[in-house]
Amino acid sequence: MKKFFIMLLLLTAWTAGRAQTGLQIDQLFQGRIIPQERMVETRVRGRSIAKYQLSFYRSLRLNATGKEAGQLRQLLGQDAEQSIDMRTSRKNPHRWDTWTCKLQMPAAGGKNRYLCYQEQWDKAHEQAELTIIYMEGAVESLEKLEELLK
């Protein structure tokens, strides 16, 4: 019984880690672009996010150089080409201080998938604080997701 429980736990961890498989930004989640040690990762499943009609939430927060942010924007652009819906916004558009992009990706495994990306630039230090969030669940649209998260 103990071995079964351990195998089930490992399978669950592996599945959670592969949720964003098929997306270009998955390279970041796998630590191929920026080392894992430079990222703060959060994963949430279960009741705490069920009220938002989500079954999985995974986020990364990190500081990136201009070159790294450019590389991630390129991956995000490739994912955007496959998206169902996309919304972007800027604060301080004359200085490009904060840029946000939200994507609804094609469903996979019977679950709707969403990808959110935000850059906040610290021009004095020439680096950006990035937040990348992957979510999946029953939420039907990007518009509905935004309403639920407000």
Side-chain angles (χ1 to χ4, degrees):
M1 182 70 166
K2 188 175 180 181
K3 286 182 182 180
F4 175 75
F5 180 72
I6 291 172
M7 291 299 289
L8 184 62
L9 184 62
L10 289 173
L11 180 61
T12 303
W14 180 79
T15 303
R18 303 300 305 161
Q20 63 286 332
T21 298
L23 302 179
Q24 294 300 314
I25 204 74
D26 185 40
Q27 295 176 52
L28 174 66
F29 284 93
Q30 291 180 18
R32 292 185 191 160
I33 309 290
I34 295 172
Q36 300 262 341
E37 305 83 53
R38 289 182 41 208
M39 299 186 281
V40 175
E41 180 176 8
T42 303
R43 293 183 195 200
V44 182
R45 283 193 178 277
R47 291 184 190 166
S48 60
I49 60 172
K51 64 183 173 185
Y52 302 109
Q53 299 177 28
L54 295 172
S55 57
F56 183 62
Y57 170 99
R58 185 177 186 189
S59 71
L60 295 175
R61 199 175 70 237
L62 60 119
N63 290 325
T65 65
K67 181 180 177 181
E68 291 167 335
Q71 191 174 5
L72 293 174
R73 265 185 263 115
Q74 186 176 23
L75 295 175
L76 184 71
Q78 293 170 5
D79 286 333
E81 291 174 6
Q82 307 302 316
S83 70
I84 296 169
D85 191 5
M86 178 173 124
R87 296 170 188 218
T88 62
S89 64
R90 291 189 192 120
K91 288 184 184 175
N92 258 339
H94 301 291
R95 295 189 302 173
W96 291 63
D97 289 340
T98 301
W99 180 70
T100 303
C101 179
K102 299 172 187 166
L103 303 173
Q104 180 178 0
M105 303 307 296
K111 295 180 182 177
N112 295 317
R113 304 182 309 156
Y114 301 91
L115 183 62
C116 302
Y117 177 95
Q118 183 178 54
E119 289 183 2
Q120 292 183 302
W121 280 94
D122 178 356
K123 296 192 187 228
H125 297 98
E126 297 182 8
Q127 68 177 7
E129 181 180 292
L130 305 179
T131 304
I132 300 91
I133 302 171
Y134 171 84
M135 295 172 278
E136 61 184 37
V139 182
E140 297 173 1
S141 68
L142 193 52
E143 182 179 0
K144 181 70 172 170
L145 179 65
E146 289 175 331
E147 288 175 19
L148 288 168
L149 296 177
K150 283 187 180 182

